[in-house]
Amino acid sequence: MLAIVIPYYKLFFFEETLQSLANQTDKRFKVYIGDDASPENPVDLIEKYKGQFDFVYHRFESNFGETSLVKQWERCIDKMENEKWIMILGDDDYLETNVVASWYKNYSEFYHKSNVIRFASKSVNMKSNGIISDSFTHPLWEKATDSYYRRFKGLTRSTLSEYVFSKESFLKYGFHDFPLAWHSDDAAWLDFSNNKPIYTINECNVFVRFSERSISGNNENQNLKDHASVKFIKKSILNKFYLFKKQQQIELVLYYEIAIKKNRKLKYSEWFELFYIYAINFEFLRFTKCLRRFMLR
């Protein structure tokens, strides 16, 4: 059975999220709402949906999201019962009516073949009066490294809400607790996939809201995002570098250097990482340019 976990904090768009769950044509799911000590009490709203779908609501007395969104996700997941698959749905995102039905329709196609499943998605841009984008679709089967690289190149988008992952993979790897949970989902798909391809259900969409209330739509805390990007590359990209193609490696390592320089100078160990990567990829010109930048520092 499928668990839909909602780390709740903001009430403003939450009714649309709940209504989309009530509208599902297939009710074989259970919702776990974890209230992160929000000042906006959702109880009256949630009560309206009693009997329309199966849910559990729990209010936490301490706020975790302000310091660690990942810990908030994890303690919400801890409230789950026996479900084996998890979707973490944002409290401002919502589903097309056939998302759950499509999940079960495709189940036999990906069972035992993939640990990470994603849906097509549409972006709802609240900065532009709620304009809804065209559907972002993906290859039916795709390596997690290729998927991340497409996002890195700006060829697609990716957010936490549009993915479903196995509880077994989550328990094995967990989430990386990066600042603002920036890239924590990207790191998860690289880990959780466990060298199995990502399977995509393109026949229906998850709607992901983009606004000043969301971290991705808010330009504040850019320094924290840059810091998280460096940590992500070190822990998740460099450790899996051998899984990326040569050209992907070259572009990612250059991004790594630029990301570090946004906040500080590179350490000696980081320079040597760069030299090594360029050397093993036989990139003599890039190696010499990197050496020149090192000497100029």
Side-chain angles (χ1 to χ4, degrees), residues 40-211:
E40 301 174 348
N41 194 321
V43 170
D44 290 342
L45 176 60
I46 292 171
E47 284 296 308
K48 288 173 54 179
Y49 291 91
K50 184 172 282 189
Q52 297 188 51
F53 57 88
D54 193 7
F55 67 83
V56 171
Y57 168 76
H58 180 85
R59 178 176 174 84
F60 297 105
E61 295 307 315
S62 57
N63 176 275
F64 275 17
E66 188 173 344
T67 55
S68 173
L69 280 172
V70 163
K71 289 180 180 177
Q72 164 64 352
W73 299 345
E74 290 174 340
R75 68 177 176 176
C76 291
I77 290 173
D78 283 344
K79 295 297 178 183
M80 283 174 50
E81 295 171 0
N82 299 318
E83 296 83 8
K84 294 184 178 181
W85 293 91
I86 307 167
M87 168 187 278
I88 300 181
L89 183 63
D91 60 9
D92 53 358
D93 300 333
Y94 59 99
L95 311 179
E96 272 187 340
T97 58
N98 60 332
V99 163
V100 175
S102 295
W103 161 264
Y104 285 106
K105 175 184 171 184
N106 286 272
Y107 191 77
S108 62
E109 297 297 319
F110 61 76
Y111 184 55
H112 286 318
K113 300 175 187 174
S114 180
N115 300 323
V116 179
I117 319 302
R118 68 181 161 203
F119 291 93
S121 65
K122 293 185 178 182
S123 175
V124 184
N125 191 342
M126 303 311 296
K127 292 184 174 183
S128 300
N129 299 317
I131 291 177
I132 298 177
S133 72
D134 293 334
S135 180
F136 288 86
T137 58
H138 308 277
L140 183 65
W141 296 98
E142 186 176 33
K143 288 175 59 179
T145 49
D146 289 341
S147 175
Y148 172 72
Y149 182 73
R150 283 196 304 120
R151 184 190 179 188
F152 167 74
K153 294 293 289 183
L155 300 175
T156 189
R157 51 169 301 287
S158 175
T159 55
L160 182 65
S161 291
E162 65 220 50
Y163 288 83
V164 178
F165 52 94
S166 72
K167 186 176 182 180
E168 182 180 6
S169 293
F170 163 72
L171 292 175
K172 181 176 181 179
Y173 295 103
F175 287 105
H176 291 285
D177 194 1
F178 300 136
L180 303 176
W182 197 247
H183 289 300
S184 293
D185 53 342
D186 294 321
W189 315 143
L190 291 168
D191 286 339
F192 294 0
S193 61
N194 196 25
N195 297 323
K196 293 181 180 179
I198 296 172
Y199 181 84
T200 301
I201 300 173
N202 283 314
E203 63 200 55
C204 54
N205 291 278
V206 174
F207 290 81
V208 179
R209 205 178 298 275
F210 181 79
S211 72

Side-chain angles (χ1 to χ4, degrees), residues 252-265:
L252 287 167
V253 77
L254 182 59
Y255 170 66
Y256 172 52
E257 181 180 347
I258 293 169
I260 294 174
K261 287 179 177 177
K262 284 183 178 180
N263 289 304
R264 60 172 175 81
K265 295 180 179 180

